[in-house]
Amino acid sequence: MPRIVTLTTDFGLADGYVAAMKGVILSICPDVVLVDITHQIEPQDVRGGAYVLGTAARRFPSGTIHLGVVDPGVGSARRGMVLVSGGHIFVGPDNGLFTSALGEDSSAVEISESPEASATFHGRDLFAPIAARIASGADPLTLGPVLVNPVHLPDWEKSRGAGGVRGRVMHFDRFGNAITNLCPGDFDRHPDAFHVPGREIGAPVIGRTYADVLRGEAVWLVGSEGFYELAVREGSARQRFGLERGDAVIGVSREKS
């Protein structure tokens, strides 16, 4: 059965960078199945790439190879790596892009730059060939020396206090929905309200779907990945409320009278 290789980058689609990587992979392993997760990560946004890749990768079958290139440190001393975790294989820079895949069952090896590789395009000249070799049957953990302590991006903190459960806005999707790191399991009861310190959001509805409010109205709900998010129906919560990634969010469950 052909192997699946996914691609996640910040390259966009205006240039030939993505096609070049695919050409390299297909030249080495012609029967591979290539799946684009996205090439629209904001330039150099490693944390954004980590979120998108992390949420999508777990939906793929075991054995999938995930090639990720959001690499502001390309050509520098940052390491390249192959990571095996949870039945999946990740190939790319060791800069935190694969944070969500790191766990107790993870094993990683370092892959070194070859003399022929462009110093500015490791996606094409280093990572794509490695992904293709793995798709052709190479054992991923024999492709380099053991890599100890892969880079792990710091998690957004969550804390519980008298004022509620405090988390952070960790991602915006293309609709402008503000996705937090808070989930239902963080609360003893369903929260009654959310507050964003320093932002005037009013008292929007806590609903189940975007259609629970009228067009242009705001709603808090649990999104498809299980996190609370703030949305504006047929609009952008990010633009409406001037939100930024990292903004604090406090969820409150009031005592029943």
Side-chain angles (χ1 to χ4, degrees):
M1 182 176 177
R3 297 290 293 273
I4 298 171
V5 176
T6 76
L7 295 96
T8 301
T9 77
D10 59 350
F11 294 164
L13 298 174
D15 302 295
Y17 302 138
V18 173
M21 289 199 306
K22 290 181 177 181
V24 168
I25 294 170
L26 291 170
S27 295
I28 297 171
C29 187
D31 63 345
V32 72
V33 176
L34 297 175
V35 178
D36 297 295
I37 291 180
T38 184
H39 302 293
Q40 302 294 349
I41 300 300
E42 291 295 319
Q44 295 88 47
D45 185 2
V46 176
R47 185 177 283 278
Y51 174 83
V52 172
L53 177 57
T55 54
R58 59 189 177 188
R59 309 297 179 183
F60 283 83
S62 180
T64 296
I65 302 158
H66 301 284
L67 173 56
V69 188
V70 181
D71 194 14
V74 61
S76 71
R78 73 95 183 90
R79 302 172 296 187
M81 77 169 176
V82 176
L83 172 71
V84 178
S85 181
H88 293 240
I89 302 158
F90 300 83
V91 181
D94 177 29
N95 62 3
L97 183 61
F98 305 133
T99 292
S100 64
L102 296 174
E104 294 183 357
D105 70 333
S106 299
S107 298
V109 297
E110 181 175 355
I111 49 178
S112 301
E113 180 178 351
S114 66
E116 297 80 20
S118 164
T120 62
F121 200 176
H122 285 183
R124 180 193 65 196
D125 296 341
L126 179 61
F127 302 135
I130 289 291
R133 287 175 59 189
I134 297 169
S136 298
D139 182 343
L141 296 181
T142 65
L143 298 177
V146 172
L147 188 152
V148 180
N149 297 324
V151 174
H152 188 292
L153 296 176
D155 295 327
W156 293 120
E157 74 278 7
K158 291 192 279 189
S159 59
R160 182 185 298 270
V165 181
R166 185 184 184 98
R168 298 278 175 178
V169 174
M170 64 176 177
H171 183 70
F172 297 98
D173 65 15
R174 75 179 302 269
F175 300 102
N177 298 328
I179 302 168
T180 78
N181 63 340
L182 297 174
C183 57
D186 295 323
F187 299 88
D188 296 329
R189 295 185 302 276
H190 290 301
D192 302 299
F194 288 91
H195 306 287
V196 180
R199 300 288 192 277
E200 184 54 53
I201 295 178
V205 170
I206 297 178
R208 189 179 68 85
T209 73
Y210 306 111
D212 285 346
V213 296
L214 299 175
R215 181 179 181 182
E217 292 184 343
V219 59
W220 286 96
L221 49 76
V222 178
S224 60
E225 296 298 334
F227 298 107
Y228 282 104
E229 64 183 58
L230 176 64
V232 171
R233 181 174 176 181
E234 299 177 49
S236 168
R238 182 180 194 175
Q239 293 180 355
R240 168 77 68 83
F241 302 113
L243 297 171
E244 300 289 344
R245 188 165 61 192
D247 280 346
V249 177
I250 301 172
V252 179
S253 297
R254 298 188 179 92
E255 294 292 339
K256 301 294 184 181
S257 57

